[in-house]
């Protein structure tokens, strides 16, 4: 066992955990922050992605002890941080994912949204290729990613105050000649 | 009752004739509304099975077989039990009762009794104070095995029956055999102008939902057992638990928490549900079992590998005269849904094309591999792949455009298939037209230069079937509604929301019918203590069946409200309209009350408010043994065009774009429908190019991790363009049909057909690995030596 001091979502937590516990285990088991998901427990799926000093990190591969002294953000932290900054409702990326249908089963999405949040923090107007690349560590099995890309782009458009491009299924098909 | 019986012919969706859609204005139906639980998912607030933590909860782990086929001589759990922190150890003898989703083929036990049948077969389970202790205890269990000859090749299981994998099966290692003949197939083949005949292979693939299986159980002091499970069919888990544990089902509660993806992989009752229940009963404490990713690969129930042989006879103008199929199905080690798979492998091919005659001969065999089951497009993705590639070859040999060939064979709507299935609305022609136009087919196909090509394929799929897994006369779907004077309306549904959005679908319908704001509606789902029975999320049945039940229940409640308000206002009922959270008088705009006020008026006049509704299919299917399997109240139709680039140096195929047109009847929420279409196409493309669920020569899984199994990342996934086609169905809710499984089918053959357009080779054996592509390119080059020198496409 080891005493850990972890700065998570703006609060300092002091807790005891086995030496070998990962950040994911501490989040889920010690703090009941179960928004970080365990999909593979070996760094393949990205469902456990959290932000450490604003950068996406696989919490299942991060020893909890090494996260001390860093600012950790989990999915539970986004909405309160948005409110602290004077915002209403949920974080814009969360609202965009909801509005655009990106949340099917939702299991991979906490990690996905944190990766997207990190991308938008360093690049306010990413291209589709940059979005693909930034989210390539987060596996989604439901959506085929398309509505996720659209959600990120929609969040960008909202920030810029412009309308997003219509999606393939939104454009009416021309009347057929035959 | 069928929807038609409930609502009358033509109602509630307008006339049944295609081309005469109902022009009613909807408040919610047909709009891209966010899901009712979207923000709960987006904020991490929603609870999935593994998020459940109960006071004093123990953690359980499973010991699995290291042998593909072996007799268990002895199991000694004493050392494991003696380990501090271990509370219980169970093995096959503790749960000997058999189960299986199909009542006639129950051949599974929660833990192996006497025999193991694949590497990974569960043998024993331990409940301990934590996972680490439970894992340590597993290593202390001593199992003595007597290895037996193991089968990995389904062709061998066909002919060799010693040793037999399941001792009590009457046909040796054959799991199921179906042969159905419709018309004079041989005669029509003889009379055909062209017969194309070939072999095709579909490999095994698995679901790989990102959430691993997890179950939690607790037993109250009075004996009431509660099991939370990541299942897509709460009702079948409920029944199976009662049978295996020998408990009264009225003393068991099964709850499905939020579910992290399923795709068919959470349809069977699984070992862990029985184990946590038994361990909770023994220890008197809550028990959780979470499978590792590796264990999920063993649990499998994925797509059956099939070896398929097709003969298709056509006239010289491309009309199909006969189709003859012979299919060998590798079932793996248990029956699972295999009886249905075997039927589906033949029964679901008979659209969207007209087959004058048809025969299929399908045999499912056991092998010592992880058991196969239903995966998205159950039993029909494999034959669809083979047949659509064969159709493309027919077009090529006749010199016809492949889309034109498909058009010529279109079966039409409101018709009957050769095997007796009733087709209602059919928008397949419109699907073809959409992808033809969107892809620039006429201008671009065959003209993109060597290495780049376009391919087409079509398909059909069921919207549920009238075959309940266990025979009964009760409704397939039920809904209860409770309305309260604040204006809050709660809908209780047994339907399983597995991420496809069925809870939202139910809320949209009830809000639409009762004129409520969506925020007034709550949905309580998939809890056997609270909800009426629904048969679960499989066979793409939920929107059609639960949706119709929701309409039924909501309209009964609406009738009460309309009657009460009309009486209160002393006006005719026809003047009372429920819309946008209000009840209004259609002839006096000054008269308008909130829906809460309307509910209060109704409650005062009637009683505490509630209603029930249900759905059952009409009698469907052919009048022969198996004729109801695959008989659906409505069929969806799909067409894809895929654009590929083939690198002739490396053999790598890259799908650049996929246009998906899907006839889902009415899209109740086009955004959710598009998400299903895109997700389906993604999954099919992944099966064709990247994924393979196989075992090595010892039966050991070839790569039980997401990295080794290679599910596509955001970079690997092509551009997906969904085009929704709405052919309003006379019996679907507001005309809706399925959208979750059909759109997977054509992606795989469309890739093969696009590769033919790109580089002139026919890929008939999945997966389309670079090695296979290079080999076929070499063979093709050898046959046309010299003619194409220097024409190698690079990437």
């Amino acid at each position: 066992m080891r005493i850990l001091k972890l700065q998570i979502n703006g609060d300092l937590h002091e807790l005891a955990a086995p030496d070998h516990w990962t950040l994911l285990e501490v989040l889920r088991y010690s703090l009941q922050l179960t928004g970080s998901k365990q999909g593979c427990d070996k760094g393949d799926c990205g469902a456990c992605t959290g932000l450490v000093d604003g950068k996406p990190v696989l919490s299942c591969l991060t020893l909890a002890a090494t996260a001390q002294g860093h600012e950790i953000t989990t999915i539970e932290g986004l909405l309160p941080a948005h409110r602290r900054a004077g915002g209403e409702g949920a974080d814009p990326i969360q609202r965009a994912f909801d509005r655009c249908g990106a949340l099917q089963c939702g299991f991979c999405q906490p990690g996905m949204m944190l990766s997207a949040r990190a991308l938008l923090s360093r690049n306010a107007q990413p291209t589709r290729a940059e979005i693909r690349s930034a989210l390539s560590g987060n596996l989604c099995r439901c959506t085929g990613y398309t509505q996720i890309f659209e959600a990120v782009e929609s969040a960008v458009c909202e920030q810029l105050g412009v309308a997003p491009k219509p999606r393939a299924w939104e454009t009416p098909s021309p009347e057929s000649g035959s | 009752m069928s929807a038609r019986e409930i609502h009358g012919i033509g109602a509630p969706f307008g006339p049944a004739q295609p081309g005469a859609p109902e022009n009613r204005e909807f408040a919610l139906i047909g709009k891209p509304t966010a899901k009712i639980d979207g923000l709960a998912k987006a904020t991490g607030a929603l609870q999935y099975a593994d998020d459940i933590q109960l006071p004093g909860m123990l953690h359980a782990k499973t010991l699995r077989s290291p042998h593909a086929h072996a007799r268990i001589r002895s199991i000694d759990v004493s050392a494991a039990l003696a380990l501090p922190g271990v509370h219980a150890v169970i093995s096959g003898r503790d749960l000997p009762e058999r189960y299986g989703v199909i009542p006639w083929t129950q051949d599974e036990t929660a833990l192996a009794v006497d025999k193991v049948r694949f590497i990974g077969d569960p043998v024993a389970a331990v409940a301990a104070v934590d996972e680490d202790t439970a894992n340590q205890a597993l290593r202390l269990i001593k199992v003595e095995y007597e290895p037996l000859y193991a089968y990995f090749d389904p062709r061998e299981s066909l002919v060799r029956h010693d040793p037999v994998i399941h001792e009590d099966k009457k046909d040796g290692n054959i799991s199921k055999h179906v042969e159905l003949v419709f018309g004079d197939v041989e005669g029509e083949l003889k009379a055909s102008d062209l017969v194309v005949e070939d072999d095709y292979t579909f490999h095994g693939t698995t679901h790989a939902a990102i959430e691993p299986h997890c179950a939690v159980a607790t037993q109250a002091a009075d004996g009431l057992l509660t099991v939370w499970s990541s299942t897509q069919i709460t009702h079948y888990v409920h029944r199976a638990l009662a049978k295996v544990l020998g408990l009264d089902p009225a003393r068991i509660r099964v709850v499905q928490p939020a579910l992290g993806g399923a795709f068919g992989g959470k349809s069977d009752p699984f070992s862990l549900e029985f184990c946590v229940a038994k361990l909770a009963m023994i220890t008197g404490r809550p028990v959780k079992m979470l499978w590792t990713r590796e264990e999920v690969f063993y649990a499998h129930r994925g797509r059956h590998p099939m070896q398929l042989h097709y003969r298709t006879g056509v006239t010289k103008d491309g009309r199909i005269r006969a189709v003859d199929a012979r299919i060998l199905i590798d079932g793996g080690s248990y029956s699972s849904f295999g009886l249905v798979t075997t039927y589906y492998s033949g029964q679901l091919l008979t659209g969207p094309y007209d087959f004058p005659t048809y025969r299929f001969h399908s045999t499912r065999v056991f092998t010592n591999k992880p058991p196969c089951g239903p995966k998205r497009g159950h039993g029909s993705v494999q034959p669809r792949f083979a047949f659509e590639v064969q159709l493309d070859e027919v077009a090529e040999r006749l010199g016809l455009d492949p889309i034109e060939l498909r058009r010529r064979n279109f079966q039409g709507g409101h018709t009957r298939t050769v095997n007796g299935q009733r087709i209602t609305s059919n928008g397949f022609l419109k699907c073809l037209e959409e992808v033809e136009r969107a892809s620039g087919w006429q201008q671009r196909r065959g003209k993109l230069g060597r290495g780049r090509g376009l391919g087409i394929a079509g398909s059909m799929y069921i919207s549920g079937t009238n075959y309940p897994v266990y025979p009964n006369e009760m409704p397939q779907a039920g809904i209860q509604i409770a309305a309260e004077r604040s204006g809050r309306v709660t809908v209780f549904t047994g339907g399983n929301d597995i991420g496809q959005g069925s809870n939202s679908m139910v809320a949209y319908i009830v809000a639409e019918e009762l004129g409520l704001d969506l925020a007034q509606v709550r949905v309580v789902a998939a809890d056997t203590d609270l909800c009426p029975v629904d048969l679960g999320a499989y066979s793409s049945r939920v929107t059609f069946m639960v949706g119709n039940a929701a309409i039924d229940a909501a309209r009964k409640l609406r009738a009460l409200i309309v009657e009460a308000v009309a009486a209160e206002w002393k006006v005719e009922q026809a003047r009372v309209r429920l819309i946008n959270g209000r009840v209004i008088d259609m002839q006096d705009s000054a008269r308008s009350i909130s829906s809460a006020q309307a509910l209060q008026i109704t409650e005062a006049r009637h009683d505490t408010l509630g209603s029930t509704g249900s759905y059952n299919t009409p009698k469907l299917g052919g009048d022969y043994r198996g004729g109801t399997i695959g008989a659906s109240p409505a069929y969806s139709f799909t067409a894809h065009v895929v654009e590929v680039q083939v690198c002739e140096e490396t053999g790598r195929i890259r799908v650049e774009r996929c246009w998906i047109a899907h006839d889902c009847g009415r899209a109740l929420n086009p955004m959710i429908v598009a998400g299903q279409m895109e997700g389906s196409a993604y999954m099919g493309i992944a099966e064709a190019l990247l994924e393979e669920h196989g075992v090595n020569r010892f039966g050991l899984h070839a790569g039980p991790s997401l990295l080794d199994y290679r599910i596509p990342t955001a970079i690997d996934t092509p551009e997906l363009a969904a085009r929704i086609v709405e052919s309003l169905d006379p019996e679907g809710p507001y005309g809706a049909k399925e959208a979750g499984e059909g759109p997977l089918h054509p992606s795989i053959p469309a890739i093969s057909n696009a590769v033919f357009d790109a580089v002139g080779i026919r890929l008939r054996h999945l997966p389309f690995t670079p090695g296979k592509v290079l080999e076929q390119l070499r063979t093709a080059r050898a046959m046309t030596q010299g003619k194409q020198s220097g024409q190698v496409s690079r990437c």
Side-chain angles (χ1 to χ4, degrees):
Chain A
M1 291 298 256
R2 172 189 290 257
I3 303 295
L4 299 173
K5 287 182 182 168
L6 292 167
Q7 184 77 26
I8 300 170
N9 299 332
D11 291 327
L12 185 67
H13 293 272
E14 190 165 353
L15 52 92
D19 289 347
H20 66 277
W21 270 23
T22 63
L23 179 57
L24 181 64
E25 285 172 300
V26 168
L27 291 173
R28 290 183 60 82
Y29 304 155
S30 303
L31 299 171
Q32 278 75 53
L33 291 171
T34 54
S36 300
K37 301 301 182 194
Q38 179 182 317
C40 67
D41 210 25
K42 59 204 294 185
D44 291 349
C45 75
C48 67
T49 302
L51 299 183
V52 174
D53 299 330
K55 295 203 180 76
V57 160
L58 295 168
S59 66
C60 77
L61 294 186
T62 304
L63 213 52
T66 66
Q68 296 182 102
H70 299 278
E71 182 68 45
I72 299 156
T73 306
T74 71
I75 194 66
E76 291 91 346
L78 282 194
L79 182 148
H82 178 65
R83 298 274 173 92
R84 276 199 301 276
E88 287 179 4
D91 183 275
I93 201 80
Q94 292 172 316
R95 284 190 282 108
F97 271 59
D98 178 40
R99 172 170 82 230
C100 296
L103 298 147
Q104 287 196 24
C105 82
F107 196 82
C108 71
Q109 301 295 5
M112 191 76 77
M113 283 182 282
L114 289 170
S115 291
R117 172 45 63 227
L119 167 69
L120 295 186
S121 304
R122 64 173 192 270
N123 178 355
Q125 290 183 52
T127 62
R128 177 64 70 99
E130 288 167 338
I131 296 170
R132 282 179 184 269
S133 169
L135 302 183
S136 62
N138 295 86
L139 298 176
C140 170
R141 196 57 167 165
C142 295
T143 60
Y145 301 102
T146 307
Q147 292 184 330
I148 293 171
F149 303 150
E150 289 164 352
V152 177
E153 287 161 354
S154 173
V156 170
C157 289
E158 189 190 48
Q159 182 70 30
L160 298 173
V162 300
K165 267 193 330 211
R167 294 160 281 186
W169 51 271
E170 285 177 302
T171 34
S173 56
E175 284 308 310
S176 61
S178 58
Chain B
M1 289 174 91
S2 74
R4 198 185 281 268
E5 283 169 308
I6 293 168
H7 307 296
I9 291 173
F13 326 115
Q17 287 74 29
E22 186 193 19
N23 286 322
R24 175 179 155 196
E25 271 296 312
F26 293 103
L28 273 162
I29 296 301
K31 308 282 197 301
T33 311
K35 286 185 178 176
I36 58 169
D37 53 3
L39 281 172
K41 285 178 177 172
T43 53
L46 217 57
Q47 202 171 47
Y48 296 74
D50 185 37
D51 300 338
I52 296 169
Q53 311 216 20
L54 300 174
M57 187 170 77
L58 299 172
H59 294 266
K61 299 297 290 181
T62 303
L63 180 73
R64 292 172 180 276
S65 166
H67 297 285
H69 196 193
R71 210 168 291 289
I72 297 173
R73 283 224 185 99
S74 66
I75 300 182
D76 179 2
V77 302
S78 54
L81 256 180
L83 185 73
V86 171
H87 288 259
V89 183
I90 54 173
S91 63
R93 301 259 177 242
D94 298 297
L95 289 165
E97 183 70 23
R98 285 186 188 193
Y99 64 90
V101 74
I102 308 287
W104 299 277
T105 60
Q106 299 197 328
D107 54 14
E108 296 184 58
T109 51
L111 298 165
V113 178
D114 299 334
K115 238 182 120 169
V116 289
R117 296 180 175 87
F118 69 100
I119 293 180
D121 213 355
V123 172
V126 172
V129 66
D130 55 34
E131 278 194 308
D132 290 342
T133 309
N135 275 324
Q136 215 181 324
L138 293 185
R139 289 192 283 274
L140 299 174
I141 299 173
K142 293 188 193 73
V143 186
E144 211 186 331
Y145 293 101
E146 176 194 335
L148 297 168
Y149 181 84
Y151 298 83
F152 305 119
D153 183 346
R155 287 168 300 190
E156 189 180 12
S157 302
L158 259 187
V159 293
R160 177 172 174 171
H161 304 296
D162 183 26
V164 70
I165 295 172
H166 290 275
E167 270 83 3
D168 55 348
K169 297 275 182 207
K170 57 182 189 301
D171 299 326
N173 286 323
I174 290 168
S175 156
K176 178 72 189 170
H177 175 71
V178 177
E179 183 166 11
L180 289 172
V181 186
F182 307 96
D184 179 15
V185 174
E186 287 300 336
E188 286 295 307
L189 283 170
K190 277 201 189 78
S192 294
D193 297 318
L194 170 71
V195 176
V196 176
E197 176 170 4
D198 234 310
D199 290 311
Y200 304 84
T201 309
F202 205 108
H203 61 319
T205 64
T206 201
H207 320 82
I210 306 294
E211 179 201 29
H213 298 58
C214 180
V216 182
T218 188
Q219 190 178 33
D222 67 358
L224 185 69
L225 177 73
T226 302
V227 177
W228 293 264
S229 178
S230 57
T231 178
Q232 61 190 102
I233 312 183
T234 323
H235 181 58
Y236 295 161
V237 171
H238 190 203
R239 286 171 57 86
L241 281 170
K243 178 175 194 278
V244 171
L245 299 168
L247 294 177
D248 177 356
R251 300 293 292 158
I252 301 176
R253 175 183 187 183
V254 182
V255 186
Q256 175 232 308
L259 195 78
F263 315 109
K266 293 168 180 169
S267 306
D268 289 80
F270 283 98
S271 166
L272 83 173
E273 288 147 342
F274 307 104
C275 288
V276 291
K278 187 71 181 180
L279 290 167
M281 290 163 71
I282 292 171
T283 60
R285 291 172 67 169
V287 178
K288 176 193 280 185
M289 188 185 289
L290 168 69
W291 278 350
T292 63
R293 177 52 58 183
E294 186 176 350
E295 289 181 290
V296 174
F297 277 94
Y298 297 141
H300 191 41
R301 317 291 162 144
R303 184 131 21 248
H304 286 73
M306 293 191 192
Q307 297 175 18
L308 312 104
H309 183 86
Y310 275 84
R311 288 193 294 165
T312 302
V314 294
T315 63
K316 58 180 177 297
D317 60 352
R319 295 288 310 215
I320 296 167
R321 294 190 73 155
V323 177
D324 187 24
R326 203 177 178 89
I327 303 173
L328 175 59
I329 305 171
D330 184 350
S333 45
Y334 291 95
S335 287
S336 180
F337 281 81
L339 179 148
V340 176
T341 317
T342 313
Y343 275 105
Y344 277 9
S345 71
Q347 289 287 63
L348 300 186
L349 195 71
T350 55
Y353 317 112
D354 186 31
F355 289 7
T357 64
Y358 177 49
R359 171 170 63 195
F360 72 92
H361 177 293
S362 292
T363 309
R364 183 183 192 266
V365 296
F366 293 113
T367 53
N368 293 108
K369 297 193 262 189
C372 299
K375 180 181 166 188
R376 201 173 202 170
H378 181 194
S380 95
V381 167
Q382 305 94 320
R384 181 59 62 183
F385 153 69
F387 183 67
E388 291 286 330
V389 172
Q390 185 150 92
L391 264 192
D392 218 64
E393 191 164 350
V394 167
E396 174 210 344
R397 303 259 296 262
L398 292 175
L400 280 172
D401 178 300
I403 291 183
E404 174 56 24
L405 176 82
R406 285 167 171 84
R407 241 180 222 126
R408 284 188 192 178
N409 286 289
F410 176 57
Q411 69 191 163
H414 303 279
T415 182
R416 202 163 277 277
T417 65
V418 70
N419 55 340
Q421 315 298 10
R422 184 197 69 169
I423 302 289
T424 51
S425 72
N426 188 339
F428 182 63
L429 278 189
K430 179 76 174 152
C431 292
L432 284 177
E433 192 182 295
E434 283 284 346
V435 291
E436 183 179 37
R437 186 190 48 72
S439 65
W441 178 268
Q442 293 301 338
Q443 306 82 47
R444 299 175 70 232
R445 182 177 170 270
K447 298 164 194 143
L448 294 172
R450 188 157 175 93
R452 190 176 279 272
L454 294 177
I456 177 90
S459 69
M460 151 180 119
Y461 201 64
I462 52 180
S463 308
T465 79
N466 73 337
Y467 174 82
V469 152
Y470 65 99
N472 72 85
E473 298 297 318
M474 292 173 279
Q476 289 215 31
I479 289 274
Q480 289 178 332
I481 297 178
E484 188 254 1
R485 58 186 76 168
S486 70
R488 183 267 299 160
V489 169
T490 303
V491 192
F492 300 87
T493 167
N496 295 80
D497 194 323
I498 61 175
Q500 87 284 42
S502 63
N503 287 353
S504 299
M505 180 275 296
V506 163
Y508 301 147
I509 288 177
V510 170
E512 181 73 46
E513 289 297 325
L514 299 179
L516 302 172
D517 282 339
L518 200 52
Q520 291 174 269
V521 182
R522 315 271 195 283
V523 176
V524 175
D527 180 331
T528 61
D529 259 19
L530 303 179
C531 304
V533 167
D534 178 68
L535 295 189
Y538 65 96
S539 289
S540 275
R541 54 178 295 288
V542 175
T543 293
F544 200 97
M545 300 196 185
V546 179
N548 269 325
I551 289 178
D552 183 31
R555 287 192 179 170
K556 287 173 186 161
L557 181 57
R558 187 177 69 183
L560 288 184
I561 298 169
V562 167
E563 184 205 322
V565 173
E568 176 83 8
W569 288 348
K570 301 186 175 61
V571 300
E572 281 173 28
Q573 290 187 17
R575 285 170 59 175
V576 177
R577 185 156 179 219
L578 284 57
I579 188 163
N580 295 336
R582 301 202 68 77
V583 177
I584 59 173
D585 182 346
M586 295 293 280
Q587 291 178 22
D588 179 358
S589 56
R591 190 141 59 188
S592 157
I593 56 175
S594 70
S595 47
Q597 288 169 303
L599 286 174
Q600 288 158 19
I601 291 167
T602 314
E603 191 175 332
R605 281 184 179 264
H606 290 284
D607 202 340
T608 302
L609 289 177
S611 68
T612 63
S614 66
Y615 174 80
N616 216 346
T617 56
K619 189 170 160 30
L620 295 168
D623 191 17
Y624 53 88
R625 188 184 166 92
T628 60
I629 304 184
S632 177
Y635 294 85
S636 74
F637 298 90
T638 315
H640 287 191
V641 167
V642 163
E643 181 171 343
V644 300
Q645 192 181 8
V646 182
C647 175
E648 289 183 89
E649 255 182 345
T650 63
R652 183 158 178 246
I653 300 166
R654 208 173 77 186
V655 174
E656 308 241 302
R657 274 192 283 184
C658 179
W659 293 269
I660 315 148
H662 179 69
D663 165 23
C664 65
R666 188 188 297 280
L668 300 184
N669 179 330
M671 185 165 72
I672 292 180
V673 168
Q676 289 300 313
M677 293 166 63
E678 291 157 2
S680 290
Y682 142 93
M683 197 173 269
I685 293 165
E687 290 186 55
L689 300 182
L690 292 171
E691 301 176 6
E692 181 160 16
H693 189 276
V695 299
N696 70 11
R697 66 199 169 91
F698 306 107
L700 188 64
H701 198 288
S705 77
L706 293 172
L707 199 65
D708 293 315
Y709 180 70
R710 300 202 302 168
I711 79 173
T713 69
I715 291 175
D716 304 315
T717 304
E719 196 181 309
L720 306 167
R723 310 286 314 181
I724 298 169
V725 170
E726 295 185 293
S727 74
L728 302 193
D729 190 81
E731 296 182 21
Y734 309 101
K737 304 189 286 190
E738 78 88 34
E741 302 190 71
L744 189 151
H745 293 69
S747 27
I748 302 168
I751 291 172
S752 173
N753 296 342
V755 168
F756 182 78
D757 186 42
V759 292
I761 56 169
R762 289 245 173 248
L763 299 175
R764 300 185 184 92
H765 306 286
L766 283 159
F768 305 146
T769 56
K772 283 183 199 159
V773 172
L774 284 179
E775 195 185 316
Q776 275 192 246
L777 282 169
R778 264 197 299 274
T779 312
R781 224 173 276 131
M783 287 171 70
T784 58
Q785 232 170 9
K787 284 184 202 162
Q788 293 181 350
S789 56
Q791 285 190 15
V792 168
S793 63
R794 296 186 166 84
C795 38

